[in-house]
Amino acid sequence: MQTDPNWGNFLYDVGTGTTYLIDFGAVREFDKSFVDGYLRIVWAAANQDEDTLLAQSHTMGFLTGNEEDVMIRAHTLSGFTVGEPFSMDRHDTYDFAKSSITKRISDHGAAFLQHRLTPPPEEVYTLHRKLAGAYNLCIKLGAKIHCRDLLEDVLKQHTFEDGLDHPLYNT
């Protein structure tokens, strides 16, 4: 994954309406186990499945299991906010410009700074930088995207190797 959300790394072709990534200097590879776990967290967040979100967050090392309620709540609400564009009710388009998503995510920063007991997995720093950049790009462009459909397509094509049921087909 290219992890540098700098505007200068993209080229927009006005004639075709296509955006191209032109700088691959900040590329990061993620272990399969991290991708499997993170996709499960995103799916849980998109479906506001607090139990799965917290269990997978603990498994991946975002949480120790000894956090105070304020940290658990901030982690859950922040996750749900990040997953909002992909939520079950979003088979329509998600309007990033009208969402105030970045402010709502940052509202939980104080709780993270004060109550976090362990740093998140190392891979998260570059991934969240990219995610924030992508969200900000969508906000700046006034993007309206069928995000739920995109997430479902990614999950349909992804082979999980963590021994758990596929989240799309979990009964």
mmCIF file of all heavy atoms in Angstrom, residues 124-158:
data_model
loop_
_atom_site.group_PDB
_atom_site.id
_atom_site.type_symbol
_atom_site.label_atom_id
_atom_site.label_comp_id
_atom_site.label_asym_id
_atom_site.label_seq_id
_atom_site.Cartn_x
_atom_site.Cartn_y
_atom_site.Cartn_z
ATOM 1 N N VAL A 124 -0.338 0.144 12.216
ATOM 2 C CA VAL A 124 -1.476 1.057 12.229
ATOM 3 C C VAL A 124 -1.066 2.503 11.945
ATOM 4 O O VAL A 124 -1.824 3.254 11.345
ATOM 5 C CB VAL A 124 -2.213 0.943 13.583
ATOM 6 C CG1 VAL A 124 -3.160 2.092 13.819
ATOM 7 C CG2 VAL A 124 -2.952 -0.363 13.625
ATOM 8 N N TYR A 125 0.140 2.879 12.347
ATOM 9 C CA TYR A 125 0.547 4.266 12.162
ATOM 10 C C TYR A 125 0.532 4.659 10.686
ATOM 11 O O TYR A 125 -0.002 5.706 10.328
ATOM 12 C CB TYR A 125 1.921 4.511 12.793
ATOM 13 C CG TYR A 125 1.889 4.358 14.295
ATOM 14 C CD1 TYR A 125 2.411 3.230 14.908
ATOM 15 C CD2 TYR A 125 1.310 5.335 15.090
ATOM 16 C CE1 TYR A 125 2.361 3.084 16.285
ATOM 17 C CE2 TYR A 125 1.256 5.195 16.474
ATOM 18 C CZ TYR A 125 1.781 4.060 17.055
ATOM 19 O OH TYR A 125 1.723 3.924 18.419
ATOM 20 N N THR A 126 1.097 3.831 9.825
ATOM 21 C CA THR A 126 1.090 4.170 8.404
ATOM 22 C C THR A 126 -0.291 3.955 7.790
ATOM 23 O O THR A 126 -0.724 4.735 6.943
ATOM 24 C CB THR A 126 2.145 3.352 7.627
ATOM 25 O OG1 THR A 126 1.980 1.960 7.913
ATOM 26 C CG2 THR A 126 3.549 3.786 7.984
ATOM 27 N N LEU A 127 -0.996 2.929 8.230
ATOM 28 C CA LEU A 127 -2.325 2.671 7.678
ATOM 29 C C LEU A 127 -3.298 3.795 8.036
ATOM 30 O O LEU A 127 -4.035 4.285 7.177
ATOM 31 C CB LEU A 127 -2.865 1.328 8.181
ATOM 32 C CG LEU A 127 -4.252 0.947 7.671
ATOM 33 C CD1 LEU A 127 -4.277 0.857 6.149
ATOM 34 C CD2 LEU A 127 -4.690 -0.369 8.288
ATOM 35 N N HIS A 128 -3.280 4.244 9.276
ATOM 36 C CA HIS A 128 -4.197 5.309 9.674
ATOM 37 C C HIS A 128 -3.810 6.647 9.057
ATOM 38 O O HIS A 128 -4.682 7.480 8.788
ATOM 39 C CB HIS A 128 -4.282 5.400 11.189
ATOM 40 C CG HIS A 128 -5.117 4.308 11.774
ATOM 41 N ND1 HIS A 128 -5.395 4.222 13.112
ATOM 42 C CD2 HIS A 128 -5.755 3.255 11.206
ATOM 43 C CE1 HIS A 128 -6.156 3.171 13.335
ATOM 44 N NE2 HIS A 128 -6.372 2.559 12.192
ATOM 45 N N ARG A 129 -2.530 6.844 8.814
ATOM 46 C CA ARG A 129 -2.111 8.051 8.101
ATOM 47 C C ARG A 129 -2.703 8.047 6.693
ATOM 48 O O ARG A 129 -3.209 9.052 6.204
ATOM 49 C CB ARG A 129 -0.587 8.122 8.044
ATOM 50 C CG ARG A 129 -0.080 9.347 7.329
ATOM 51 C CD ARG A 129 1.435 9.436 7.422
ATOM 52 N NE ARG A 129 1.889 10.622 6.734
ATOM 53 C CZ ARG A 129 2.875 10.636 5.884
ATOM 54 N NH1 ARG A 129 3.557 9.546 5.627
ATOM 55 N NH2 ARG A 129 3.229 11.746 5.289
ATOM 56 N N LYS A 130 -2.653 6.902 6.040
ATOM 57 C CA LYS A 130 -3.218 6.770 4.705
ATOM 58 C C LYS A 130 -4.741 6.930 4.732
ATOM 59 O O LYS A 130 -5.328 7.609 3.889
ATOM 60 C CB LYS A 130 -2.835 5.414 4.094
ATOM 61 C CG LYS A 130 -3.423 5.147 2.734
ATOM 62 C CD LYS A 130 -2.930 6.153 1.710
ATOM 63 C CE LYS A 130 -3.382 5.777 0.311
ATOM 64 N NZ LYS A 130 -2.699 6.551 -0.693
ATOM 65 N N LEU A 131 -5.376 6.307 5.711
ATOM 66 C CA LEU A 131 -6.826 6.390 5.833
ATOM 67 C C LEU A 131 -7.271 7.839 6.059
ATOM 68 O O LEU A 131 -8.210 8.320 5.414
ATOM 69 C CB LEU A 131 -7.314 5.497 6.971
ATOM 70 C CG LEU A 131 -8.813 5.386 7.176
ATOM 71 C CD1 LEU A 131 -9.493 4.810 5.941
ATOM 72 C CD2 LEU A 131 -9.108 4.499 8.384
ATOM 73 N N ALA A 132 -6.585 8.538 6.951
ATOM 74 C CA ALA A 132 -6.914 9.948 7.203
ATOM 75 C C ALA A 132 -6.719 10.776 5.939
ATOM 76 O O ALA A 132 -7.543 11.637 5.613
ATOM 77 C CB ALA A 132 -6.053 10.494 8.342
ATOM 78 N N GLY A 133 -5.647 10.501 5.227
ATOM 79 C CA GLY A 133 -5.402 11.218 3.974
ATOM 80 C C GLY A 133 -6.470 10.937 2.937
ATOM 81 O O GLY A 133 -6.933 11.845 2.230
ATOM 82 N N ALA A 134 -6.895 9.686 2.843
ATOM 83 C CA ALA A 134 -7.939 9.320 1.880
ATOM 84 C C ALA A 134 -9.265 9.983 2.255
ATOM 85 O O ALA A 134 -9.966 10.515 1.382
ATOM 86 C CB ALA A 134 -8.099 7.797 1.823
ATOM 87 N N TYR A 135 -9.604 9.966 3.539
ATOM 88 C CA TYR A 135 -10.846 10.626 3.974
ATOM 89 C C TYR A 135 -10.767 12.122 3.693
ATOM 90 O O TYR A 135 -11.719 12.722 3.197
ATOM 91 C CB TYR A 135 -11.090 10.375 5.463
ATOM 92 C CG TYR A 135 -11.731 9.050 5.794
ATOM 93 C CD1 TYR A 135 -11.770 7.998 4.897
ATOM 94 C CD2 TYR A 135 -12.307 8.832 7.029
ATOM 95 C CE1 TYR A 135 -12.350 6.785 5.213
ATOM 96 C CE2 TYR A 135 -12.900 7.620 7.364
ATOM 97 C CZ TYR A 135 -12.915 6.606 6.446
ATOM 98 O OH TYR A 135 -13.501 5.402 6.762
ATOM 99 N N ASN A 136 -9.625 12.755 4.010
ATOM 100 C CA ASN A 136 -9.481 14.189 3.762
ATOM 101 C C ASN A 136 -9.525 14.513 2.269
ATOM 102 O O ASN A 136 -10.085 15.538 1.875
ATOM 103 C CB ASN A 136 -8.199 14.725 4.403
ATOM 104 C CG ASN A 136 -8.348 14.886 5.896
ATOM 105 O OD1 ASN A 136 -9.412 15.228 6.390
ATOM 106 N ND2 ASN A 136 -7.274 14.641 6.630
ATOM 107 N N LEU A 137 -8.962 13.653 1.456
ATOM 108 C CA LEU A 137 -9.034 13.829 0.004
ATOM 109 C C LEU A 137 -10.492 13.775 -0.451
ATOM 110 O O LEU A 137 -10.948 14.625 -1.224
ATOM 111 C CB LEU A 137 -8.211 12.755 -0.713
ATOM 112 C CG LEU A 137 -8.228 12.751 -2.238
ATOM 113 C CD1 LEU A 137 -7.560 13.997 -2.795
ATOM 114 C CD2 LEU A 137 -7.523 11.507 -2.760
ATOM 115 N N CYS A 138 -11.228 12.810 0.045
ATOM 116 C CA CYS A 138 -12.649 12.684 -0.310
ATOM 117 C C CYS A 138 -13.441 13.904 0.159
ATOM 118 O O CYS A 138 -14.332 14.384 -0.553
ATOM 119 C CB CYS A 138 -13.234 11.410 0.290
ATOM 120 S SG CYS A 138 -12.639 9.904 -0.501
ATOM 121 N N ILE A 139 -13.116 14.415 1.338
ATOM 122 C CA ILE A 139 -13.792 15.611 1.849
ATOM 123 C C ILE A 139 -13.490 16.796 0.948
ATOM 124 O O ILE A 139 -14.390 17.526 0.528
ATOM 125 C CB ILE A 139 -13.366 15.884 3.307
ATOM 126 C CG1 ILE A 139 -13.946 14.810 4.231
ATOM 127 C CG2 ILE A 139 -13.790 17.281 3.752
ATOM 128 C CD1 ILE A 139 -13.332 14.786 5.624
ATOM 129 N N LYS A 140 -12.217 16.991 0.634
ATOM 130 C CA LYS A 140 -11.789 18.130 -0.190
ATOM 131 C C LYS A 140 -12.430 18.087 -1.581
ATOM 132 O O LYS A 140 -12.815 19.120 -2.128
ATOM 133 C CB LYS A 140 -10.266 18.121 -0.310
ATOM 134 C CG LYS A 140 -9.685 19.249 -1.097
ATOM 135 C CD LYS A 140 -9.526 20.466 -0.237
ATOM 136 C CE LYS A 140 -8.709 21.510 -0.970
ATOM 137 N NZ LYS A 140 -8.689 22.762 -0.279
ATOM 138 N N LEU A 141 -12.559 16.891 -2.140
ATOM 139 C CA LEU A 141 -13.140 16.743 -3.475
ATOM 140 C C LEU A 141 -14.668 16.725 -3.456
ATOM 141 O O LEU A 141 -15.303 16.716 -4.509
ATOM 142 C CB LEU A 141 -12.628 15.452 -4.132
ATOM 143 C CG LEU A 141 -11.143 15.396 -4.439
ATOM 144 C CD1 LEU A 141 -10.754 14.021 -4.948
ATOM 145 C CD2 LEU A 141 -10.758 16.479 -5.449
ATOM 146 N N GLY A 142 -15.253 16.707 -2.260
ATOM 147 C CA GLY A 142 -16.709 16.620 -2.164
ATOM 148 C C GLY A 142 -17.225 15.280 -2.658
ATOM 149 O O GLY A 142 -18.319 15.189 -3.221
ATOM 150 N N ALA A 143 -16.452 14.235 -2.414
ATOM 151 C CA ALA A 143 -16.776 12.908 -2.944
ATOM 152 C C ALA A 143 -18.027 12.326 -2.305
ATOM 153 O O ALA A 143 -18.250 12.455 -1.103
ATOM 154 C CB ALA A 143 -15.595 11.959 -2.723
ATOM 155 N N LYS A 144 -18.814 11.686 -3.152
ATOM 156 C CA LYS A 144 -19.978 10.908 -2.726
ATOM 157 C C LYS A 144 -19.767 9.514 -3.293
ATOM 158 O O LYS A 144 -19.796 9.323 -4.507
ATOM 159 C CB LYS A 144 -21.265 11.537 -3.253
ATOM 160 C CG LYS A 144 -21.510 12.916 -2.691
ATOM 161 C CD LYS A 144 -22.733 13.554 -3.295
ATOM 162 C CE LYS A 144 -22.882 14.969 -2.753
ATOM 163 N NZ LYS A 144 -24.001 15.661 -3.392
ATOM 164 N N ILE A 145 -19.528 8.545 -2.398
ATOM 165 C CA ILE A 145 -19.057 7.222 -2.818
ATOM 166 C C ILE A 145 -19.928 6.133 -2.215
ATOM 167 O O ILE A 145 -20.336 6.211 -1.061
ATOM 168 C CB ILE A 145 -17.582 7.029 -2.378
ATOM 169 C CG1 ILE A 145 -16.703 8.119 -2.993
ATOM 170 C CG2 ILE A 145 -17.075 5.646 -2.753
ATOM 171 C CD1 ILE A 145 -15.278 8.127 -2.485
ATOM 172 N N HIS A 146 -20.155 5.083 -2.984
ATOM 173 C CA HIS A 146 -20.840 3.878 -2.505
ATOM 174 C C HIS A 146 -19.829 3.029 -1.736
ATOM 175 O O HIS A 146 -19.368 1.999 -2.214
ATOM 176 C CB HIS A 146 -21.412 3.074 -3.680
ATOM 177 C CG HIS A 146 -22.531 3.738 -4.381
ATOM 178 N ND1 HIS A 146 -23.831 3.589 -3.989
ATOM 179 C CD2 HIS A 146 -22.554 4.565 -5.443
ATOM 180 C CE1 HIS A 146 -24.607 4.298 -4.777
ATOM 181 N NE2 HIS A 146 -23.848 4.901 -5.670
ATOM 182 N N CYS A 147 -19.472 3.453 -0.545
ATOM 183 C CA CYS A 147 -18.407 2.809 0.229
ATOM 184 C C CYS A 147 -18.767 1.394 0.667
ATOM 185 O O CYS A 147 -17.909 0.516 0.675
ATOM 186 C CB CYS A 147 -18.056 3.652 1.441
ATOM 187 S SG CYS A 147 -17.431 5.290 1.039
ATOM 188 N N ARG A 148 -20.007 1.168 1.044
ATOM 189 C CA ARG A 148 -20.414 -0.173 1.506
ATOM 190 C C ARG A 148 -20.173 -1.189 0.398
ATOM 191 O O ARG A 148 -19.657 -2.281 0.641
ATOM 192 C CB ARG A 148 -21.887 -0.158 1.920
ATOM 193 C CG ARG A 148 -22.436 -1.519 2.344
ATOM 194 C CD ARG A 148 -21.835 -1.978 3.649
ATOM 195 N NE ARG A 148 -22.425 -3.226 4.099
ATOM 196 C CZ ARG A 148 -22.500 -3.588 5.355
ATOM 197 N NH1 ARG A 148 -22.028 -2.798 6.304
ATOM 198 N NH2 ARG A 148 -23.013 -4.734 5.693
ATOM 199 N N ASP A 149 -20.543 -0.843 -0.814
ATOM 200 C CA ASP A 149 -20.347 -1.750 -1.940
ATOM 201 C C ASP A 149 -18.865 -2.058 -2.156
ATOM 202 O O ASP A 149 -18.493 -3.198 -2.435
ATOM 203 C CB ASP A 149 -20.945 -1.160 -3.219
ATOM 204 C CG ASP A 149 -22.458 -0.950 -3.125
ATOM 205 O OD1 ASP A 149 -23.096 -1.587 -2.265
ATOM 206 O OD2 ASP A 149 -22.986 -0.144 -3.903
ATOM 207 N N LEU A 150 -18.018 -1.041 -2.001
ATOM 208 C CA LEU A 150 -16.570 -1.245 -2.166
ATOM 209 C C LEU A 150 -16.031 -2.201 -1.106
ATOM 210 O O LEU A 150 -15.248 -3.097 -1.418
ATOM 211 C CB LEU A 150 -15.826 0.088 -2.086
ATOM 212 C CG LEU A 150 -16.073 1.075 -3.209
ATOM 213 C CD1 LEU A 150 -15.408 2.419 -2.905
ATOM 214 C CD2 LEU A 150 -15.583 0.522 -4.535
ATOM 215 N N LEU A 151 -16.437 -2.006 0.150
ATOM 216 C CA LEU A 151 -15.977 -2.886 1.222
ATOM 217 C C LEU A 151 -16.450 -4.314 0.984
ATOM 218 O O LEU A 151 -15.677 -5.263 1.148
ATOM 219 C CB LEU A 151 -16.449 -2.383 2.587
ATOM 220 C CG LEU A 151 -16.069 -3.247 3.787
ATOM 221 C CD1 LEU A 151 -14.548 -3.421 3.896
ATOM 222 C CD2 LEU A 151 -16.647 -2.662 5.070
ATOM 223 N N GLU A 152 -17.701 -4.481 0.607
ATOM 224 C CA GLU A 152 -18.211 -5.828 0.336
ATOM 225 C C GLU A 152 -17.445 -6.491 -0.801
ATOM 226 O O GLU A 152 -17.135 -7.688 -0.732
ATOM 227 C CB GLU A 152 -19.708 -5.784 0.047
ATOM 228 C CG GLU A 152 -20.525 -5.519 1.290
ATOM 229 C CD GLU A 152 -22.025 -5.464 1.035
ATOM 230 O OE1 GLU A 152 -22.468 -5.669 -0.121
ATOM 231 O OE2 GLU A 152 -22.769 -5.210 2.004
ATOM 232 N N ASP A 153 -17.099 -5.729 -1.840
ATOM 233 C CA ASP A 153 -16.305 -6.290 -2.941
ATOM 234 C C ASP A 153 -14.926 -6.731 -2.465
ATOM 235 O O ASP A 153 -14.440 -7.797 -2.857
ATOM 236 C CB ASP A 153 -16.151 -5.266 -4.082
ATOM 237 C CG ASP A 153 -17.432 -5.048 -4.865
ATOM 238 O OD1 ASP A 153 -18.379 -5.856 -4.722
ATOM 239 O OD2 ASP A 153 -17.485 -4.054 -5.624
ATOM 240 N N VAL A 154 -14.290 -5.926 -1.624
ATOM 241 C CA VAL A 154 -12.977 -6.289 -1.080
ATOM 242 C C VAL A 154 -13.094 -7.572 -0.266
ATOM 243 O O VAL A 154 -12.288 -8.497 -0.408
ATOM 244 C CB VAL A 154 -12.389 -5.140 -0.226
ATOM 245 C CG1 VAL A 154 -11.205 -5.613 0.603
ATOM 246 C CG2 VAL A 154 -11.980 -3.976 -1.111
ATOM 247 N N LEU A 155 -14.097 -7.642 0.593
ATOM 248 C CA LEU A 155 -14.268 -8.830 1.435
ATOM 249 C C LEU A 155 -14.574 -10.072 0.603
ATOM 250 O O LEU A 155 -14.085 -11.158 0.916
ATOM 251 C CB LEU A 155 -15.367 -8.599 2.467
ATOM 252 C CG LEU A 155 -14.988 -7.659 3.607
ATOM 253 C CD1 LEU A 155 -16.204 -7.313 4.446
ATOM 254 C CD2 LEU A 155 -13.896 -8.245 4.471
ATOM 255 N N LYS A 156 -15.372 -9.944 -0.443
ATOM 256 C CA LYS A 156 -15.693 -11.091 -1.300
ATOM 257 C C LYS A 156 -14.439 -11.659 -1.954
ATOM 258 O O LYS A 156 -14.332 -12.865 -2.152
ATOM 259 C CB LYS A 156 -16.692 -10.681 -2.389
ATOM 260 C CG LYS A 156 -18.099 -10.510 -1.890
ATOM 261 C CD LYS A 156 -19.009 -9.991 -2.993
ATOM 262 C CE LYS A 156 -20.375 -9.636 -2.429
ATOM 263 N NZ LYS A 156 -21.223 -8.954 -3.419
ATOM 264 N N GLN A 157 -13.490 -10.781 -2.257
ATOM 265 C CA GLN A 157 -12.266 -11.209 -2.940
ATOM 266 C C GLN A 157 -11.164 -11.625 -1.970
ATOM 267 O O GLN A 157 -10.156 -12.189 -2.396
ATOM 268 C CB GLN A 157 -11.752 -10.079 -3.837
ATOM 269 C CG GLN A 157 -12.693 -9.749 -4.971
ATOM 270 C CD GLN A 157 -12.226 -8.559 -5.779
ATOM 271 O OE1 GLN A 157 -11.033 -8.335 -5.940
ATOM 272 N NE2 GLN A 157 -13.168 -7.784 -6.291
ATOM 273 N N HIS A 158 -11.343 -11.352 -0.698
ATOM 274 C CA HIS A 158 -10.291 -11.631 0.287
ATOM 275 C C HIS A 158 -10.429 -13.049 0.848
ATOM 276 O O HIS A 158 -11.517 -13.483 1.212
ATOM 277 C CB HIS A 158 -10.352 -10.623 1.441
ATOM 278 C CG HIS A 158 -9.231 -10.759 2.404
ATOM 279 N ND1 HIS A 158 -7.961 -10.305 2.131
ATOM 280 C CD2 HIS A 158 -9.177 -11.320 3.639
ATOM 281 C CE1 HIS A 158 -7.177 -10.573 3.164
ATOM 282 N NE2 HIS A 158 -7.892 -11.192 4.085
#
